[in-house]
PDB file of all heavy atoms in Angstrom:
ATOM      1  N   LYS A 377     107.412 104.187 107.332  1.00  0.00           N
ATOM      2  CA  LYS A 377     108.888 103.906 107.632  1.00  0.00           C
ATOM      3  C   LYS A 377     109.500 105.067 108.416  1.00  0.00           C
ATOM      4  O   LYS A 377     110.490 104.792 109.063  1.00  0.00           O
ATOM      5  CB  LYS A 377     109.495 103.818 106.087  1.00  0.00           C
ATOM      6  CG  LYS A 377     109.174 102.472 105.526  1.00  0.00           C
ATOM      7  CD  LYS A 377     110.069 102.315 104.295  1.00  0.00           C
ATOM      8  CE  LYS A 377     111.381 101.792 104.536  1.00  0.00           C
ATOM      9  NZ  LYS A 377     112.090 101.413 103.394  1.00  0.00           N
ATOM     10  N   LYS A 410      73.285  93.011 116.154  1.00  0.00           N
ATOM     11  CA  LYS A 410      72.865  91.770 116.965  1.00  0.00           C
ATOM     12  C   LYS A 410      71.423  92.205 117.446  1.00  0.00           C
ATOM     13  O   LYS A 410      70.446  91.512 117.399  1.00  0.00           O
ATOM     14  CB  LYS A 410      73.813  91.479 117.973  1.00  0.00           C
ATOM     15  CG  LYS A 410      73.317  90.507 119.025  1.00  0.00           C
ATOM     16  CD  LYS A 410      73.642  89.090 118.512  1.00  0.00           C
ATOM     17  CE  LYS A 410      73.001  88.123 119.571  1.00  0.00           C
ATOM     18  NZ  LYS A 410      73.159  86.852 119.316  1.00  0.00           N
ATOM     19  N   SER A 539     107.926  80.565 112.174  1.00  0.00           N
ATOM     20  CA  SER A 539     108.824  81.033 111.132  1.00  0.00           C
ATOM     21  C   SER A 539     110.171  81.641 111.620  1.00  0.00           C
ATOM     22  O   SER A 539     111.092  81.744 111.003  1.00  0.00           O
ATOM     23  CB  SER A 539     108.113  81.935 110.129  1.00  0.00           C
ATOM     24  OG  SER A 539     107.463  82.964 110.909  1.00  0.00           O
ATOM     25  N   SER A 549     114.792  94.398  98.172  1.00  0.00           N
ATOM     26  CA  SER A 549     115.062  94.730  96.888  1.00  0.00           C
ATOM     27  C   SER A 549     114.078  95.833  96.354  1.00  0.00           C
ATOM     28  O   SER A 549     113.141  96.141  97.157  1.00  0.00           O
ATOM     29  CB  SER A 549     114.962  93.508  95.923  1.00  0.00           C
ATOM     30  OG  SER A 549     115.135  93.856  94.534  1.00  0.00           O
ATOM     31  N   THR A 551     110.851  97.460  94.556  1.00  0.00           N
ATOM     32  CA  THR A 551     109.569  97.096  93.990  1.00  0.00           C
ATOM     33  C   THR A 551     109.691  96.845  92.565  1.00  0.00           C
ATOM     34  O   THR A 551     110.404  97.461  91.778  1.00  0.00           O
ATOM     35  CB  THR A 551     108.581  98.353  94.238  1.00  0.00           C
ATOM     36  OG1 THR A 551     108.596  98.613  95.637  1.00  0.00           O
ATOM     37  CG2 THR A 551     107.143  97.909  93.833  1.00  0.00           C
TER      38      THR A 551
ATOM     39  N   SER B  74     110.064  94.182  99.104  1.00  0.00           N
ATOM     40  CA  SER B  74     110.488  95.616  98.643  1.00  0.00           C
ATOM     41  C   SER B  74     110.981  96.462  99.562  1.00  0.00           C
ATOM     42  O   SER B  74     110.677  96.304 100.778  1.00  0.00           O
ATOM     43  CB  SER B  74     109.143  96.196  97.833  1.00  0.00           C
ATOM     44  OG  SER B  74     109.305  97.467  97.898  1.00  0.00           O
ATOM     45  N   GLU B  75     111.879  97.379  99.137  1.00  0.00           N
ATOM     46  CA  GLU B  75     112.484  98.312 100.092  1.00  0.00           C
ATOM     47  C   GLU B  75     111.494  99.337 100.592  1.00  0.00           C
ATOM     48  O   GLU B  75     111.615  99.909 101.697  1.00  0.00           O
ATOM     49  CB  GLU B  75     113.573  99.039  99.265  1.00  0.00           C
ATOM     50  CG  GLU B  75     114.896  98.352  99.286  1.00  0.00           C
ATOM     51  CD  GLU B  75     115.832  98.796  98.116  1.00  0.00           C
ATOM     52  OE1 GLU B  75     115.399  99.704  97.399  1.00  0.00           O
ATOM     53  OE2 GLU B  75     116.874  98.209  98.080  1.00  0.00           O
ATOM     54  N   TYR B  86     100.680  86.876 108.281  1.00  0.00           N
ATOM     55  CA  TYR B  86     100.257  86.194 109.431  1.00  0.00           C
ATOM     56  C   TYR B  86      98.826  86.629 109.903  1.00  0.00           C
ATOM     57  O   TYR B  86      98.038  85.773 110.420  1.00  0.00           O
ATOM     58  CB  TYR B  86     101.284  86.531 110.584  1.00  0.00           C
ATOM     59  CG  TYR B  86     102.678  86.108 110.234  1.00  0.00           C
ATOM     60  CD1 TYR B  86     103.666  86.885 109.598  1.00  0.00           C
ATOM     61  CD2 TYR B  86     103.015  84.724 110.624  1.00  0.00           C
ATOM     62  CE1 TYR B  86     104.835  86.327 109.418  1.00  0.00           C
ATOM     63  CE2 TYR B  86     104.183  84.244 110.196  1.00  0.00           C
ATOM     64  CZ  TYR B  86     105.195  85.051 109.619  1.00  0.00           C
ATOM     65  OH  TYR B  86     106.411  84.580 109.375  1.00  0.00           O
ATOM     66  N   TYR B 110      83.159  81.537 120.520  1.00  0.00           N
ATOM     67  CA  TYR B 110      83.306  82.727 121.167  1.00  0.00           C
ATOM     68  C   TYR B 110      82.868  83.841 120.282  1.00  0.00           C
ATOM     69  O   TYR B 110      83.007  85.047 120.596  1.00  0.00           O
ATOM     70  CB  TYR B 110      84.779  82.882 121.694  1.00  0.00           C
ATOM     71  CG  TYR B 110      85.130  81.767 122.588  1.00  0.00           C
ATOM     72  CD1 TYR B 110      86.117  80.848 122.050  1.00  0.00           C
ATOM     73  CD2 TYR B 110      84.684  81.592 123.664  1.00  0.00           C
ATOM     74  CE1 TYR B 110      86.530  79.782 122.817  1.00  0.00           C
ATOM     75  CE2 TYR B 110      85.005  80.532 124.518  1.00  0.00           C
ATOM     76  CZ  TYR B 110      85.955  79.633 124.095  1.00  0.00           C
ATOM     77  OH  TYR B 110      86.306  78.632 124.838  1.00  0.00           O
ATOM     78  N   SER B 144      92.402  98.743  94.722  1.00  0.00           N
ATOM     79  CA  SER B 144      91.376  99.628  94.350  1.00  0.00           C
ATOM     80  C   SER B 144      90.179  98.767  93.883  1.00  0.00           C
ATOM     81  O   SER B 144      88.930  99.043  94.293  1.00  0.00           O
ATOM     82  CB  SER B 144      91.764 100.549  93.352  1.00  0.00           C
ATOM     83  OG  SER B 144      90.713 101.054  92.639  1.00  0.00           O
ATOM     84  N   THR B 172      72.177  84.612 116.282  1.00  0.00           N
ATOM     85  CA  THR B 172      73.462  84.569 115.501  1.00  0.00           C
ATOM     86  C   THR B 172      74.401  83.586 115.874  1.00  0.00           C
ATOM     87  O   THR B 172      75.686  83.553 115.499  1.00  0.00           O
ATOM     88  CB  THR B 172      74.032  85.922 115.538  1.00  0.00           C
ATOM     89  OG1 THR B 172      74.243  86.343 116.870  1.00  0.00           O
ATOM     90  CG2 THR B 172      73.165  87.008 114.786  1.00  0.00           C
TER      91      THR B 172
END
Side-chain angles (χ1 to χ4, degrees):
Chain A
K377 282 188 84 174
K410 173 87 183 176
S539 47
S549 179
T551 303
Chain B
S74 161
E75 275 160 0
Y86 296 95
Y110 306 108
S144 159
T172 54

